[in-house]
């Protein structure tokens, strides 16, 4: 009888230790994190590279019951209305540049979680765009809601806004546009799913500086504590090689996407 009691007690303690290590208590709870669904790589059903990456970067403790994927407008509405919330994948600079938030919004952001360079793709069998002059007079597909049509100067060009990243790729492959703007590694996964290699592009030509994927939050005591925890985790993932291993498992060249950590 005593032996059975001791076995049960030890088992209970072990379960308690494991549960506590995964869901450790914080003085400030994790805020809700709203992700803006945009298609294949960040799907509303929770699948796709960016959902997997978010859960990896956050860890099970921070993402459990706190990470939600909604269509863009719904996610932004929740973020704006909930003053202790966060939005992903965004940056303060991008949100202000696109006027997606009020000018007086008080925001903070995480370290860059991953580099996401913009590439310009042209249809298979064509020459890649190597400078802004090559874009002149082209029809160019880009993501709906982006401000790239104003950022990239291309004389006589026509910018075509597309809501879904797979539809955008299909327009390029079908010859409906002369070029397509897309971030990496997004385009890598889209064309991989379509069963075709990456179309012509010039990796050395960066029409805008490479963006960093981040989580942006309203500036509150709770979100400052969360961002501090997240930044420490990102630093550890990069330092210990776990970030590189995760990216490599996705078929990516890790060195192209590892973030440049702020000091």
């Amino acid at each position: 009888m005593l032996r059975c009691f001791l076995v049960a007690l030890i088992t209970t303690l072990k379960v308690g230790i494991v549960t506590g290590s995964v869901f450790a208590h914080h003085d400030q709870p994790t805020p809700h994190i709203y992700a803006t669904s945009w298609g294949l790589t960040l799907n509303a059903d929770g699948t796709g590279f960016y959902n997997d990456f978010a859960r990896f970067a956050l860890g099970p403790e921070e993402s459990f019951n706190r990470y939600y994927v909604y269509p863009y407008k719904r996610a932004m509405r929740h973020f704006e209305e909930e003053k202790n919330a966060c939005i992903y994948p965004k940056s303060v600079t991008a949100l202000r540049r696109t006027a997606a938030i009020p000018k007086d919004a008080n925001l903070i952001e995480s370290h860059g979680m991953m580099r996401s360079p913009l590439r310009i793709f042209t249809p298979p069998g064509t020459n890649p765009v190597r400078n802004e002059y090559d874009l002149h007079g082209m029809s160019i597909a880009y993501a709906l809601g982006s401000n790239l049509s104003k950022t990239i100067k291309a004389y006589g060009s026509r910018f075509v806004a597309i809501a879904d990243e797979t539809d955008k790729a299909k327009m390029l492959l079908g010859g409906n546009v002369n070029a397509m703007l897309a971030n990496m590694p997004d385009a890598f996964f889209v064309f991989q799913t379509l069963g075709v290699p990456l179309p012509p592009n010039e990796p050395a030509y960066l029409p805008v500086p490479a963006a960093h994927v981040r989580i942006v939050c309203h500036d509150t005591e709770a979100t400052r504590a969360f961002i501090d925890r997240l930044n420490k985790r990102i630093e550890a993932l990069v330092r210990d090689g776990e970030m590189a291993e995760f990216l490599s498992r996705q078929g990516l060249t890790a060195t192209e996407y590892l973030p440049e950590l702020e000091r």
Side-chain angles (χ1 to χ4, degrees), residues 158-176:
R158 178 174 64 90
F159 286 86
V160 183
I162 309 297
D164 182 271
E165 57 185 340
T166 304
D167 291 340
K168 185 173 63 172
K170 288 179 178 178
M171 286 192 68
L172 181 79
L173 295 175
N176 301 110

Side-chain angles (χ1 to χ4, degrees), residues 147-161:
N147 73 330
L148 288 172
S149 61
K150 299 177 182 177
T151 304
I152 296 177
K153 306 301 181 184
Y155 180 77
S157 294
R158 178 174 64 90
F159 286 86
V160 183

Side-chain angles (χ1 to χ4, degrees), residues 204-215:
Y205 174 47
L206 295 176
V208 296
H212 275 75
V213 172
R214 303 175 189 268
I215 290 179

